[in-house]
Amino acid sequence: MTDHNAPVRFDTKIAVLLRDDLETWQRLNVTAFLVSGLGTQVPEVIGEPYADADDTPYLPMFRQPVLVFAGSKELLTTAHTRAVGRGVALAVFTSDLFATGHDEANRAAVRAVRRDGMDLVGLAVYGPRNPVDKILKGASMHG
């Protein structure tokens, strides 16, 4: 018999790292934007669709938890460098994106800045547990 409520230890990790000086609305907005790209590029992170007892269909969601961390501006820069070096799935959100109003403008704002000059306010990574843990070294769980 399978216990459907038993915790599962995943060999991968979905993690978001947010700059610790963001306002609450910014943290929520940045997190939502960052994780939105994972399902399109890493389809294995998405589970099966949901349905309630009346068979009302609902969209599928991630098959595993999204862990949210916080850190300094310097830590985000370090984590970004580590993530690029390890080749994990990576999404970024820069401070410039707070001033844009649509997807095309967002991409243009990121494209306009060299990798080492980005003013990162958040990033999302997905990959094997150990490399993701090393990328996030020094970050604390968001609280």
Side-chain angles (χ1 to χ4, degrees), residues 6-138:
V8 174
R9 180 167 164 85
F10 294 95
D11 58 353
T12 58
K13 187 178 271 188
I14 299 171
V16 173
L17 176 58
L18 302 172
R19 206 162 75 192
D20 55 12
D21 62 349
L22 297 179
E23 295 181 34
T24 301
W25 74 266
Q26 291 173 317
R27 291 175 189 194
L28 296 170
N29 187 267
V30 170
T31 299
F33 269 97
L34 286 170
V35 298
S36 69
L38 286 177
T40 64
Q41 297 299 306
V42 190
E44 66 267 21
V45 300
I46 303 297
E48 296 298 318
Y50 286 74
D52 61 26
D54 298 313
D55 284 330
T56 306
Y58 301 102
L59 295 172
M61 295 186 279
F62 291 128
R63 65 179 182 87
Q64 67 188 87
V66 176
L67 304 171
V68 181
F69 297 84
S72 67
K73 180 177 181 173
E74 295 76 21
L75 181 60
L76 259 89
T77 300
T78 299
H80 179 259
T81 300
R82 292 173 183 160
V84 169
R86 286 181 168 76
V88 298
L90 173 64
V92 296
F93 198 103
T94 66
S95 63
D96 297 330
L97 303 186
F98 289 126
T100 59
H102 55 85
D103 189 48
E104 185 178 343
N106 289 349
R107 285 193 312 280
V110 172
R111 171 63 90 180
V113 181
R114 295 184 59 84
R115 181 171 57 212
D116 61 355
M118 283 198 254
D119 184 17
L120 294 165
V121 298
L123 59 84
V125 293
Y126 170 77
R129 176 178 290 277
N130 288 339
V132 171
D133 287 343
K134 289 176 183 174
I135 290 166
L136 298 173
K137 184 178 180 182

